[in-house]
Amino acid sequence: MVLSEREKSNMPGSDVVILRIGHRPERDQRVTTHVGLTGRALGAKGMYLAASDKGVVQSIRDVADRWGGEFFCKDNVKWRSCIRDWKAQDGIVVHLTMYGLNLPDIIGEVRDHKKILVIVGAEKVPGEIYGLADYNVAVTSQPHSEISSLALFLDHFFSGQELNNEFCGARIRIIPSRAGKQTEDL
């Protein structure tokens, strides 16, 4: 699985892309959509989904169309091929798990790389992933959400700078306010 030219052109600087595995379409649509939306909002360039779920893909594309930015979402990806191809293109693989090395202890080393594939699991992750990953990274050593793991990883990776991202091509934007909801059409 090779990145298209469009996908490559959307990835200046450090390329962080998510690989979502273990997605069960009948159970995980909302959570997987939130994994993609969290990645998009916090600086990832796209998400590969190792399952067939056009609804998730369309939901994420709809948000990107309205709120701007370049974020791809591709389903039906074979996770082994995705990992193999990513590594063949000089990328590294980071698996977010509670069994890995502590995030604050390893993030500096991960930051040294320009092309990072972040694996986020749903149901039980195949044991093979632990061996294929260049880094198994623990975001706490306690059970919690894959969404929170991804958010904390991206925040640490981008050192909080992702919170100031502007999204080109947005058709709507939030106007910060102390109370109420204010948006403007662009």
Side-chain angles (χ1 to χ4, degrees):
M1 183 201 79
V2 177
L3 292 176
S4 70
E5 287 308 308
R6 179 172 182 251
E7 290 168 340
K8 287 179 186 176
S9 71
N10 292 338
M11 299 185 187
S14 289
D15 298 344
V16 179
V17 174
I18 303 156
L19 171 59
R20 172 70 161 162
I21 63 170
H23 171 77
R24 299 157 293 185
E26 67 284 353
R27 290 186 57 179
D28 297 330
Q29 285 184 325
R30 185 169 172 86
V31 172
T32 297
T33 299
H34 286 188
V35 166
L37 295 178
T38 298
R40 178 193 158 278
L42 297 179
K45 303 298 181 190
M47 181 174 78
Y48 296 116
L49 177 56
S52 177
D53 197 323
K54 299 295 183 209
V56 168
V57 173
Q58 190 58 47
S59 292
I60 292 170
R61 284 185 183 155
D62 287 347
V63 169
D65 285 346
R66 284 181 288 139
W67 292 90
E70 297 289 337
F71 188 88
F72 71 88
C73 186
K74 183 183 285 188
D75 70 338
N76 255 346
V77 171
K78 306 294 184 210
W79 63 264
R80 284 181 186 90
S81 298
C82 183
I83 293 168
R84 182 183 59 245
D85 293 348
W86 190 267
K87 287 184 167 198
Q89 295 175 23
D90 296 322
I92 65 159
V93 175
V94 173
H95 171 219
L96 299 182
T97 174
M98 61 188 211
Y99 301 107
L101 300 171
N102 195 13
L103 175 63
D105 298 338
I106 198 71
I107 196 65
E109 191 174 325
V110 172
R111 241 188 243 120
D112 289 340
H113 299 277
K114 294 290 182 200
K115 193 172 162 109
I116 298 108
L117 181 68
V118 180
I119 298 176
V120 180
E123 63 182 345
K124 186 176 178 182
V125 172
E128 184 179 354
I129 294 291
Y130 291 87
L132 292 171
D134 297 294
Y135 298 92
N136 288 291
V137 176
V139 180
T140 84
S141 57
Q142 295 294 311
H144 63 98
S145 162
E146 58 266 38
I147 300 166
S148 63
S149 292
L150 179 62
L152 286 165
F153 173 82
L154 291 171
D155 185 62
H156 278 66
F157 183 81
F158 291 116
S159 301
Q161 295 303 306
E162 78 288 353
L163 299 176
N164 297 314
N165 284 347
E166 294 205 14
F167 294 85
C168 65
R171 296 190 328 238
I172 187 170
R173 177 175 49 201
I174 292 175
I175 300 169
S177 64
R178 264 188 209 281
K181 298 178 182 178
Q182 294 183 16
T183 61
E184 66 179 337
D185 293 328
L186 302 174

